[in-house]
């Protein structure tokens, strides 16, 4: 079983052992209401997430304080319904958590979506602090 709920025991064990300050998760495979917020909070982390049933999904976890959401979708395509990007401030650090599209098979619509998504990411990064 994959996704954040299927691998929750492994995630919680790793959080306890490694104790990272900030964590980015991808491929949650959980709708917004099924994200395991209580278990993550009980493990000492605050979380924001952008879920999606069966596919995609991203989250940012932080120990010190709850990440302050900046955006929950990559700008440039208001019709894009994929949960592939979330951006937040964790203290004074700006974090972009992303789940890149695979794009297979190529050529085809999935590959075209991937190329367009990359173009949007590059444009967004040039407008922010990435480059």
């Amino acid at each position: 079983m994959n996704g954040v709920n299927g691998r929750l025991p492994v995630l919680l064990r790793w959080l306890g052992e490694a104790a990272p300050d900030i964590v980015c998760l991808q491929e949650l495979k959980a709708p917004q209401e099924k994200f395991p917020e209580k278990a993550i909070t009980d493990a000492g982390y605050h979380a924001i997430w952008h879920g999606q049933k069966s596919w995609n999904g991203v989250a940012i976890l932080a120990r010190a304080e709850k990440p302050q959401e900046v955006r929950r979708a990559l700008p440039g395509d208001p019709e894009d319904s994929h949960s592939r990007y979330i951006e937040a401030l964790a203290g004074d650090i700006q974090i972009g958590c992303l789940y890149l599209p695979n794009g297979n098979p190529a050529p085809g619509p999935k590959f075209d979506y991937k190329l367009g998504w990359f173009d949007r990411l590059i444009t967004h990064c040039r407008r922010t602090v990435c480059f």
Side-chain angles (χ1 to χ4, degrees), residues 105-127:
K110 289 182 179 181
F111 188 72
D112 294 342
Y113 171 79
K114 174 183 181 172
L115 294 179
W117 202 92
F118 282 5
D119 286 342
R120 290 171 36 222
L121 178 63
I122 290 166
T123 298
H124 178 61
C125 286
R126 286 185 175 144
R127 290 180 181 150

Side-chain angles (χ1 to χ4, degrees), residues 2-126:
N2 59 12
V4 69
N5 288 301
R7 295 183 179 166
L8 187 58
V10 174
L11 173 61
L12 296 175
R13 184 176 60 245
W14 178 76
L15 290 173
E17 292 171 1
D21 292 330
I22 298 170
V23 177
C24 290
L25 302 176
Q26 64 179 21
E27 201 172 6
L28 300 177
K29 294 187 176 181
Q32 195 71 12
E33 68 277 3
K34 298 287 186 181
F35 184 81
E37 182 178 20
K38 182 174 179 350
I40 299 232
T41 300
D42 290 348
Y45 286 82
H46 307 278
I48 63 167
W49 63 96
H50 184 29
Q52 185 172 350
K53 182 180 180 182
S54 301
W55 308 101
N56 307 321
V58 287
I60 299 172
L61 317 181
R63 281 194 310 162
E65 59 189 68
K66 185 169 185 164
Q68 299 304 304
E69 186 176 309
V70 173
R71 73 181 68 250
R72 92 174 14 249
L74 189 61
D77 182 0
E79 300 299 316
D80 188 356
S81 62
H82 295 213
S83 299
R84 294 185 171 278
Y85 188 84
I86 194 164
E87 188 176 320
L89 290 171
D92 60 354
I93 300 171
Q94 188 165 348
I95 299 167
C97 177
L98 54 95
Y99 178 46
L100 298 172
N102 180 302
N104 287 324
K110 289 182 179 181
F111 188 72
D112 294 342
Y113 171 79
K114 174 183 181 172
L115 294 179
W117 202 92
F118 282 5
D119 286 342
R120 290 171 36 222
L121 178 63
I122 290 166
T123 298
H124 178 61
C125 286
R126 286 185 175 144

